[in-house]
Amino acid sequence: MKGATTVQEAIDRLAGLLGLADKMPVTIEYRFRGRTGSLAWWMESLMDEGERLKRKVEPPDRTAWNDDMFRQRVFMELVHDTDRNLTNVLVSPQWRVIMIDFTRAFRLWDTVRMAELHRIDRRLLARLEALSRDEVTRAAEAHLTPGEIDAVMKRRDLIVAHYRARMKQLGEVRVLY
């Protein structure tokens, strides 16, 4: 990582390329007292996912909620955030997933936890398939090293191959939504 404070900028740019920008707060890079940091726009939330599960609150539209959670899992595996936990998932007032805190994203590992990846939004899969290294480089080269970009692309390849294999095995109707 070129700088730990630029993680969120890289996250925002990659999410934008994949059509997931609405799943996280708008964040800008800023300087304060000679140090670079990130400033995130506050997003109203009802609770975090840990609290929702503890209180046993069911989403009003379980299908929409689950679809959002599937999108989040794909993105988490793509950026290989090693600190995902239930407090990093907020519930918006409209019952949509808000993803926060990516301080441990963009590890160099080229592995994906396939057990987390069950279903995928067909538009997200198409965007993943179309995502090029050049596009990621243009969007995030100021924030990611070439090795980090390579790792993202390797994980992208693994994710796409995983879903292609699942569709072959189970059929598109059971994998795509």
Side-chain angles (χ1 to χ4, degrees), residues 88-150:
N88 292 340
V89 179
L90 303 180
V91 179
S92 80
Q94 298 78 27
W95 277 90
R96 302 309 304 237
V97 168
I98 303 169
M99 298 182 275
I100 62 169
D101 189 2
F102 293 89
T103 54
R104 293 195 177 110
F106 298 112
R107 299 300 182 224
L108 296 178
W109 307 319
D110 59 358
T111 59
V112 175
R113 294 172 297 183
M114 301 304 182
E116 297 289 321
L117 304 178
H118 305 288
R119 301 190 73 220
I120 189 169
D121 176 341
R122 67 181 65 247
R123 290 176 305 239
L124 177 55
L125 179 59
R127 286 184 170 166
L128 279 169
E129 289 175 321
L131 189 66
S132 71
R133 187 182 199 297
D134 288 343
E135 190 176 25
V136 174
T137 299
R138 279 192 304 277
E141 72 180 327
H143 309 288
L144 298 177
T145 66
E148 289 165 334
I149 294 170
D150 288 342

Side-chain angles (χ1 to χ4, degrees), residues 73-97:
R73 288 182 191 130
V74 170
F75 192 73
M76 294 308 102
E77 292 304 312
L78 182 67
V79 300
H80 213 301
D81 187 0
T82 59
D83 186 34
R84 293 318 298 165
N85 62 68
L86 298 176
T87 64
N88 292 340
V89 179
L90 303 180
V91 179
S92 80
Q94 298 78 27
W95 277 90
R96 302 309 304 237
V97 168

Side-chain angles (χ1 to χ4, degrees), residues 22-100:
D22 64 327
K23 302 285 176 230
M24 53 202 67
V26 173
T27 306
I28 60 167
E29 189 175 309
Y30 77 104
R31 291 191 60 77
F32 181 72
R33 296 184 180 164
R35 297 185 69 183
T36 303
S38 298
L39 181 64
W41 188 264
W42 176 259
M43 291 184 77
E44 186 178 350
S45 65
L46 301 173
M47 65 194 94
D48 64 41
E49 180 66 351
E51 183 179 347
R52 184 188 79 79
L53 293 172
K54 182 178 177 183
R55 292 178 27 205
K56 299 180 180 171
V57 177
E58 291 297 320
D61 182 344
R62 182 178 286 249
T63 299
W65 179 257
N66 288 340
D67 290 350
D68 267 1
M69 293 300 281
F70 289 134
R71 286 180 196 99
Q72 176 202 220
R73 288 182 191 130
V74 170
F75 192 73
M76 294 308 102
E77 292 304 312
L78 182 67
V79 300
H80 213 301
D81 187 0
T82 59
D83 186 34
R84 293 318 298 165
N85 62 68
L86 298 176
T87 64
N88 292 340
V89 179
L90 303 180
V91 179
S92 80
Q94 298 78 27
W95 277 90
R96 302 309 304 237
V97 168
I98 303 169
M99 298 182 275
I100 62 169

